[in-house]
Amino acid sequence: MPTFHTYDGTELAYRVLGEGAPLICLPGGAMRAGAYLGDLGGLSATRQLVVLDLRGTGDSAVPDDMSTCRCDRLVEDVEALRLHLGLDRVDLLAHSAAGDLASLYAARHPEALRSLILVAPGTRATGFAFVERAAREAAALRCAEPWYAQALPALEQIWAGHFTDELRAASRPFLYGRWDGAAQEHAARSAREINAAAAQAYYADGAFNPVETVASLRTFPAPVLVLTGEYDGLTTPDRAAELAALFPESEFAVQRGAGHFPWLDDPGAFVRTVTAFLDPEVRSVQAGGIRLAYRVWGEPSAPPVVLAHGRCGDSTTWTEVAERLAAGHRVYAFDFRGHGLSDWTGRYSFELFRDDLHAFLEARNLSGATVVGHSMGGAAAFLLAERQPGLIGRLVLEEAPPPFPLDPPRGPVERPEGRLDFDWPVVPSINAQLNEPDPEGRERLAEITAPTLVIGGGPGSQIVQEDLAWMARQIPGARHVTIDAGHLVHTERPEEFLAALRSFGVG
């Protein structure tokens, strides 16, 4: 492991995993060796993780003076690592007890941070005390687990103020969303990875001045993500939300089905949330209880256009069109649930995608926007336009599947090997609806009041073009154009696609 010497000469070690822009990672515990973070669920595939072993832990040296392990004094070790790496500004991720260390670092060195990620963070540095009622409510969510009755008495003892290694070990199932073999192995390493003497020093008297820290964090200039698990009784969602509210520019995320180690419980969900936050071109919004990632182009004051992608795609499929439209519009392209960097919820339907579009428009205050939907996104758009007259200003349906049963119907499908950029259940779920669509979608086309343009891809498309023409005739005043491009009109023929939009008054 590479090492460096910090301000008092103590030799500290760190691991480097993956490639890309560095992300400094601080382990919790308190004072647990950084090995337990692993590669943070695969985050190393997109970022270079620099995982510090705090002094006295892992491969770092034990200091001569254990009082230097106090949380506030560790701040300068983090700063020494930044200087050692030669970085002017850094992205910093901290887990659990290290959330306190990261908060102190942000308060003392705000100019050194590009962004801050707090995962199930400790909150002593900001003066948020442990709330037993909230912890009990979190524990009660696990009452159906087979281990619950055996583990709860240990947790009760801990709440009563009795802290022993035996009680901690017995209560550990509550820390994980799934108490499977991987979780049990991860938990079993805890005792030997924590330096107990250093942990005691970490919280020693004088470590925290919450009033001063909170005052500094309220003016912290960089973006902050606070992420916790749905079942976390140490940093409950309510407590994490309170912490996020301290920062001027913050996002707050609750990972469904996760406990105190969310990257273990659902690596994909964790990586998508953190990746979206760290990508400067991606933003996220909570819409209808779902985190939707999106990209945006153009001036904020320009007329808005919302681009809705097709099945198995994501917002990046619109990049060329969006950049061109941005000359005169504020352009938004979002990832539907189950796609790209948005939440993958496991359940999918045209109606749920319709609800995503609706929630996104409301969350971004985009009533009256032009909506351009491709394929599945087009189906979501016309279903929404049927139910919410007036919400959509202008409607463009590019190769939207007509609401007629497929003939022949699509049969069973098998998941391909390897990593996918979408949640596989999307495919069989939508195939079933394509085979037997809800007739209401067809019957209510005449209720669409938004000016509508229907774009077909011609004979190269798998969609029956006569059915698209029929749809256009059912929508009052709709225009119908054909661009000989197949199903992917906006990617195969962007010039002709943009020309069609301009003739429709968009562009």
Side-chain angles (χ1 to χ4, degrees):
M1 291 177 68
T3 63
F4 67 101
H5 289 86
T6 187
Y7 69 94
D8 64 351
T10 302
E11 186 177 45
L12 303 182
Y14 60 95
R15 290 181 300 132
V16 178
L17 303 172
E19 298 180 354
L23 173 65
I24 293 178
C25 303
L26 304 180
M31 303 304 285
R32 184 173 180 178
Y36 83 94
L37 295 174
D39 67 353
L40 287 172
L43 187 60
S44 59
T46 57
R47 295 299 293 259
Q48 182 185 78
L49 308 184
V50 180
V51 183
L52 177 65
D53 279 344
L54 299 174
R55 58 175 60 210
T57 71
D59 289 329
S60 288
V62 177
D64 295 330
D65 180 2
M66 290 300 289
S67 71
T68 61
C69 294
R70 200 174 75 175
C71 186
D72 60 325
R73 301 185 69 178
L74 292 174
V75 168
E76 294 314 310
D77 288 348
V78 180
E79 176 65 358
L81 174 58
R82 180 186 71 84
L83 296 174
H84 165 74
L85 296 173
L87 300 173
D88 291 333
R89 299 173 69 214
V90 297
D91 299 307
L92 180 66
L93 180 149
H95 174 246
S96 191
D100 291 315
L101 173 56
S103 292
L104 295 182
Y105 184 83
R108 194 179 301 176
H109 297 286
E111 74 292 338
L113 287 174
R114 183 183 297 108
S115 68
L116 177 62
I117 303 169
L118 302 174
V119 180
T123 57
R124 296 193 192 188
T126 50
F128 296 146
F130 173 76
V131 179
E132 183 178 325
R133 175 188 54 77
R136 287 183 177 277
E137 291 173 352
L141 296 174
R142 320 302 300 281
C143 64
E145 299 284 357
W147 46 260
Y148 178 80
Q150 184 176 358
L152 183 61
L155 202 55
E156 293 276 4
Q157 288 292 308
I158 291 173
W159 290 333
H162 305 295
F163 297 94
T164 68
D165 290 340
E166 292 76 14
L167 290 173
R168 289 190 179 95
S171 66
R172 279 190 185 125
F174 284 102
L175 297 177
Y176 297 86
R178 295 192 314 273
W179 187 236
D180 55 13
Q184 292 169 38
E185 191 277 331
H186 187 266
R189 301 200 314 263
S190 178
R192 64 177 180 269
E193 290 177 341
I194 289 178
N195 182 329
Q200 187 174 8
Y202 188 84
Y203 291 119
D205 289 344
F208 306 122
N209 183 338
V211 173
E212 182 179 293
T213 300
V214 167
S216 296
L217 297 183
R218 289 195 185 280
T219 61
F220 183 65
V224 178
L225 170 66
V226 181
L227 184 156
T228 196
E230 176 186 9
Y231 299 141
D232 194 349
L234 296 180
T235 309
T236 64
D238 285 348
R239 177 50 43 85
E242 288 182 280
L243 179 63
L246 294 180
F247 297 92
E249 185 181 347
S250 67
E251 294 182 21
F252 165 60
V254 177
Q255 186 170 312
R256 290 181 178 83
H260 196 60
F261 304 94
W263 66 91
L264 290 177
D265 296 320
D266 187 340
F270 178 81
V271 169
R272 286 189 294 274
T273 301
V274 175
T275 299
F277 172 76
L278 286 172
D279 189 332
E281 296 183 355
V282 177
R283 306 181 186 186
S284 294
V285 63
Q286 291 291 330
I290 305 294
R291 185 187 59 82
L292 299 178
Y294 68 99
R295 292 170 168 84
V296 63
W297 299 260
E299 292 297 322
S301 60
V305 173
V306 176
L307 307 176
H309 65 80
R311 183 173 63 168
C312 306
D314 59 40
S315 54
T316 61
T317 67
W318 292 107
T319 300
E320 182 177 358
V321 166
E323 289 174 347
R324 301 279 294 277
L325 286 174
H329 294 83
R330 179 70 161 177
V331 183
Y332 301 81
F334 72 97
D335 295 345
F336 282 107
R337 71 178 72 195
H339 295 78
L341 296 176
S342 290
D343 284 347
W344 294 15
T345 59
R347 291 180 58 252
Y348 305 101
S349 67
F350 283 126
E351 291 75 20
L352 289 173
F353 295 132
R354 173 202 67 200
D355 295 344
D356 286 347
L357 176 58
H358 189 182
F360 182 79
L361 292 173
E362 290 195 336
R364 295 290 81 191
N365 194 27
L366 294 173
S367 178
T370 295
V371 173
V372 182
H374 172 241
S375 192
M376 179 192 79
F382 77 67
L383 290 175
L384 178 59
E386 290 174 347
R387 286 177 169 264
Q388 297 289 331
L391 179 62
I392 295 173
R394 301 176 80 82
L395 178 63
V396 180
L397 304 176
E398 175 200 355
E399 283 280 299
F404 294 103
L406 288 182
D407 184 19
R410 292 183 181 173
V413 288
E414 292 186 7
R415 187 192 188 282
E417 296 293 329
R419 178 181 174 274
L420 299 175
D421 292 327
F422 60 91
D423 196 7
W424 175 249
V426 168
V427 175
S429 297
I430 295 305
N431 278 356
Q433 285 196 285
L434 290 171
N435 288 339
E436 297 184 29
D438 185 343
E440 184 181 29
R442 179 170 63 252
E443 294 163 359
R444 298 186 65 175
L445 287 170
E447 298 178 30
I448 295 176
T449 60
T452 301
L453 171 65
V454 178
I455 299 177
S461 170
Q462 69 267 33
I463 288 181
V464 178
Q465 298 297 292
E466 291 80 3
D467 290 345
L468 281 180
W470 180 89
M471 284 181 64
R473 291 194 298 271
Q474 307 313 301
I475 301 171
R479 302 184 195 177
H480 176 222
V481 300
T482 298
I483 299 173
D484 190 3
H487 188 55
L488 306 174
V489 181
H490 72 271
T491 55
E492 296 296 326
R493 296 285 189 273
E495 290 291 347
E496 291 91 333
F497 182 80
L498 288 165
L501 296 190
R502 284 193 295 272
S503 70
F504 185 58
V506 181

